[in-house]
Structure formats: structure tokens, C-alpha cells
Amino acid sequence: GCGKTSLARSVIPHVERAGGYFIGQKLDVLTSSPVALVLNAFDMLPPLVLKMCNPCEVESIKRDLCSIFGDQLASLVRLLPNAALLRTSTWSSPPSASQLDGKLRVDYTLQLFARIISS
């Protein structure tokens, strides 16, 4: 009731003009998990990238994802299923959970993903 949503909506045109993405989520403390909302927001990014970026930018993001995540790319897709939309043609399907040796921490995975998308 203090204008947080109105404030957030007022910056949308500025974010879009700067080439940024705006993803809105509303937290209902009784039914929503804050972590689930954050993960859902990150999962909304790959379709936006495909829609808003030119083909060269998309290819660059795909290469960076493969280069930076390497064999841990499957961990990202398990965390953010839409990240599979940004896979390269040479990337095989993700292994099952039992095939994954190491798991990247969620916060580090999201940080890497955000860094690649924003570059």
C-alpha cells in the first residue's frame, strides 16, 4: 500500500529505452516462495533474449553460456528450464540428475547466467 508497484512500473520505459529487460513478479507471502519467484524471473529471461536480441547477440550469448558453464550447463537448465532455448546446436541434451557430478551453487549459477545475458 505504499506505492512499490507504481514505482516499479514507472521505471519500465527507462529500462526498455536503455535496452534492459523488465520482469515483474508479485510476492504473495501466503502462497508464494521468494526463491521460486526469483527463479521464475530468471527463467523468463531466455525467451526475452530470443525476442529482443538480434541473431548475432543471441549467438554470442549461446557461445558464452557453453564456454563459461562448460559441462555444468546441465545444472543451469535443471535450475532454469528455459535456458535450454539458448543451447547451441552442438550441445547435447542435459544428463539426468544422477549423471551430474558437481552442482554449481544456485546463487553462483544465477550470477553467471545474469552476467552472460547482460553483457
Side-chain angles (χ1 to χ4, degrees):
C2 63
K4 295 181 295 290
T5 300
S6 295
L7 175 63
R9 285 188 182 138
S10 73
V11 301
I12 293 173
H14 304 287
V15 170
E16 290 174 344
R17 236 180 287 128
Y21 306 111
F22 187 89
I23 297 172
Q25 297 278 329
K26 188 142 180 104
L27 175 64
D28 177 356
V29 293
L30 298 177
T31 60
S32 300
S33 159
V35 173
L37 285 176
V38 169
L39 290 176
N40 189 44
F42 273 95
D43 198 40
M44 292 175 167
L45 280 172
L48 277 175
V49 165
L50 291 174
K51 178 181 174 185
M52 306 293 282
C53 293
N54 68 50
C56 290
E57 292 170 325
V58 171
E59 286 305 313
S60 176
I61 290 169
K62 288 179 178 183
R63 281 191 307 274
D64 288 348
L65 281 171
C66 280
S67 170
I68 292 171
F69 279 94
D71 60 354
Q72 294 297 317
L73 196 51
S75 296
L76 177 66
V77 172
R78 288 185 62 226
L79 189 61
L80 308 172
N82 279 333
L85 296 171
L86 298 173
R87 68 177 175 254
T88 62
S89 58
T90 59
W91 180 37
S92 60
S93 59
S96 67
S98 62
Q99 293 173 305
L100 293 175
D101 299 322
K103 295 181 183 173
L104 296 174
R105 286 187 4 232
V106 170
D107 57 340
Y108 181 68
T109 301
L110 295 177
Q111 182 182 17
L112 281 177
F113 181 68
R115 187 178 307 148
I116 292 165
I117 295 294
S118 66
S119 60

